[in-house]
Amino acid sequence: MNTKRKTILSIFGTRPEAIKMAPLVKALAAEPGIRSVVCVTGQHRSMLQQVLDLFDITPHHDLAVMSENQSLNGLIARLITSIDDVVTKEQPDRVLVHGDTTTATAGALAAFHRQVPVAHVEAGLRTGDMSSPWPEEMNRRFVDVVSDLMFVPTPRSHANLVKETLHGRAFVTGNTVIDALHSVTKRIDSQDALRRKLDARFAFLDPSKKLILVTGHRRESFGRGLRDICAALVRIAKRTDVQIVYPVHLNPNVRATVISALGGAPNVFLVEPQDYLGFVRLLQRATLVLTDSGGVQEEAPALGKPVLVMREVTERPEAIDAGTAVLVGTDSDAIAATVHLLLDDTSARAAFSRNVNPYGDGRASARIVAALAGRPFEEFKPVTPGGTKDSARVSREAFA
Ligand code: UD1
Ligand code: UDP
């Protein structure tokens, strides 16, 4: 019998990858037939460290590549050479990358060049528009091309892959973000002292007002898109029944626009990026969520929170089809009108606040580990039926 353990090298470097890889890294470490090696690239620094601390992950390799306001080409050049050193040293049987970041592309390419098989977690997401999200749509397509195993979150993402000529095998696992969300909500819900501590960070909030939680950081929105989002927030904040909390991403291009447009605006609280516990607690307390984030689009529906997606297209249409998210774009009028509608029409808000879980059931990591270990497993089947692309357009038009 061959008892040699397989070495799996997991590579990630940004906040969302770390949140989504954390449950998987834990599950890999507990698998007897696998030697799990973790390499963080440090594409993000403090926003990555917040997640590593929370999930108690000590990486075997930390490449510390981040530089201030990094360019994509400078970043990928640093990533390729430093990941190559790790791949050469560890001689893994397989490399695992996540999602659509520059780290994912560099990890996949560095492994491919060394003829190491690549598995892609969160494969198959597509907008069909190479300019949005940019550069992520290219990154995720590229990683799927080189992967021989693709772990796709939903049947819809699986259908995207079926249309392409790819050499890998795909499994529908659910999104590991729901595994992470479950573990954190369990902690918050079961520990009164922790909940009080998290709420104390936001002692300035008036509990009689409705909380609107905002995030926005996409590169394709830099400039006009982000300015229009901020203009909408200024209008919404004129209402006396709301308070807006916006944890501002550390990208200097985001901070310059957001701080100049919203710093000092009444009812708008700009705060530093929250650790995952603090952010999930804000999600739990929110009445509405406004975001262009991929991960937040997946988490909010699982907590029964209506989401306005401030993008022109989304690769995560499942919540829109389920009727709990609406694609509003970055137009100020559309954002403000949709927020007013959802705040003033309680039945519309109730319809959008249904707790749905199109993205996962909390068992994605277990399925991925089973696939890597060669054990059979049942693929993820969402309870919410999938819809068509047209229904995404209809709900946007209905609210714009
Ligand atoms: C990256 C990903 C994006 C993902 C986002 C999640 C790419 C091309 N983009 O975008 O897909 O949605 O992360 O947040 O991979 N910074 C800090 N400290 C940090 C993190 C960032 O100071 O902890 C600043 C640095 O100046 C850095 C800049 O933000 O140069 C941009 O970081 P980068 O990872 O290149 O791009 P993001 O916009 O964060
Ligand atoms: N998040 C967080 N703190 C914050 C804002 C977001 O922990 O202040 C979490 C959020 O819950 C989600 C992830 O970060 O899991 C999303 O990351 P981001 O929006 O940076 O990237 P994207 O998902 O758009 O790639």
Side-chain angles (χ1 to χ4, degrees):
M1 196 175 77
N2 182 4
T3 53
K4 185 180 171 298
R5 293 192 301 162
K6 279 193 218 164
T7 297
I8 306 273
L9 174 62
S10 300
I11 302 174
F12 52 95
T14 64
R15 167 174 69 191
E17 293 169 280
I19 290 170
K20 292 171 169 185
M21 288 296 277
L24 184 51
V25 162
K26 295 284 182 195
L28 285 169
E31 179 68 26
I34 287 175
R35 182 175 82 94
S36 170
V37 179
V38 174
C39 170
V40 296
T41 63
Q43 176 176 335
H44 284 175
R45 192 63 275 163
S46 55
M47 285 160 57
L48 170 72
Q49 195 57 45
Q50 286 178 324
V51 186
L52 298 177
D53 292 345
L54 176 65
F55 288 97
D56 199 17
I57 293 173
T58 308
H60 302 85
H61 302 273
D62 185 341
L63 308 179
V65 296
M66 195 192 91
S67 66
E68 182 65 12
N69 203 8
Q70 56 207 0
S71 74
L72 296 173
N73 286 333
L75 172 63
I76 200 162
R78 293 193 296 281
L79 283 166
I80 293 276
T81 46
S82 36
I83 293 172
D84 187 50
D85 290 343
V86 176
V87 172
T88 309
K89 176 168 183 287
E90 294 289 352
Q91 299 279 310
D93 295 288
R94 169 172 296 288
V95 158
L96 217 51
V97 294
H98 182 280
D100 54 18
T101 64
T102 304
T103 284
T105 292
L109 184 57
F112 181 74
H113 282 162
R114 292 284 172 192
Q115 296 180 296
V116 175
V118 177
H120 189 195
V121 182
E122 201 182 78
L125 275 62
R126 301 285 186 269
T127 61
D129 178 349
M130 289 296 262
S131 65
S132 183
W134 179 86
E136 289 83 0
E137 180 77 0
M138 180 284 292
N139 285 337
R140 57 170 81 110
R141 282 173 184 262
F142 170 78
V143 178
D144 283 334
V145 167
V146 298
S147 296
D148 72 330
L149 275 181
M150 293 170 286
F151 299 117
V152 304
T154 67
R156 184 87 172 242
S157 36
H158 188 267
N160 290 335
L161 294 179
V162 171
K163 291 186 215 139
E164 299 175 13
T165 311
L166 297 167
H167 82 109
R169 281 181 305 151
F171 297 98
V172 183
T173 59
N175 198 309
T176 55
V177 76
I178 305 298
D179 306 14
L181 183 67
H182 282 187
S183 78
V184 163
T185 49
K186 207 162 135 195
R187 273 155 85 166
I188 297 173
D189 294 345
S190 64
Q191 297 176 35
D192 292 346
L194 173 64
R195 212 166 43 248
R196 276 198 298 275
K197 200 169 131 196
L198 295 172
D199 287 342
R201 290 187 196 169
F202 296 95
F204 54 83
L205 288 176
D206 177 347
S208 71
K209 296 192 178 186
K210 296 185 185 78
L211 171 62
I212 300 180
L213 179 61
V214 180
T215 76
H217 73 274
R218 301 240 73 88
R219 282 175 187 251
E220 69 275 8
S221 299
F222 287 176
R224 182 160 173 206
L226 200 50
R227 280 199 302 276
D228 288 351
I229 289 172
C230 292
L233 297 177
V234 169
R235 285 160 66 183
I236 295 162
K238 294 211 164 85
R239 294 177 64 119
T240 52
D241 60 342
V242 299
Q243 289 184 319
I244 296 175
V245 173
Y246 186 161
V248 187
H249 194 286
L250 292 179
N251 190 317
N253 302 288
V254 175
R255 290 177 90 80
T257 303
V258 171
I259 293 168
S260 96
L262 296 174
N267 281 335
V268 180
F269 299 93
L270 302 180
V271 297
E272 290 304 317
Q274 296 296 298
D275 63 22
Y276 192 48
L277 272 172
F279 190 77
V280 170
R281 181 62 188 149
L282 285 173
L283 274 174
Q284 289 182 322
R285 293 180 60 180
T287 299
L288 294 183
V289 179
L290 274 59
T291 193
D292 63 12
S293 156
V296 179
Q297 283 180 68
E298 293 153 346
E299 292 158 345
L303 297 174
K305 305 296 175 176
V307 193
L308 278 65
V309 181
M310 300 187 294
R311 299 198 200 174
E312 301 307 323
V313 280
T314 180
E315 63 288 70
R316 293 165 167 95
E318 291 85 350
I320 293 170
D321 293 337
T324 66
V326 56
L327 199 56
V328 285
T330 56
D331 178 75
S332 267
D333 291 339
I335 296 170
T338 310
V339 168
H340 291 314
L341 187 146
L342 285 174
L343 289 175
D344 295 333
D345 181 340
T346 40
S347 61
R349 192 162 78 240
F352 267 77
S353 305
R354 275 176 304 112
N355 196 312
V356 293
N357 245 330
Y359 299 107
D361 59 1
R363 292 189 291 125
S365 305
R367 291 189 181 94
I368 293 170
V369 172
L372 294 171
R375 283 195 302 275
F377 63 95
E378 214 173 284
E379 293 187 55
F380 169 62
K381 289 191 193 68
V383 178
T384 315
T388 63
K389 234 182 173 174
D390 285 342
S391 58
R393 229 171 281 132
V394 169
S395 61
R396 177 177 175 166
E397 280 157 13
F399 281 89

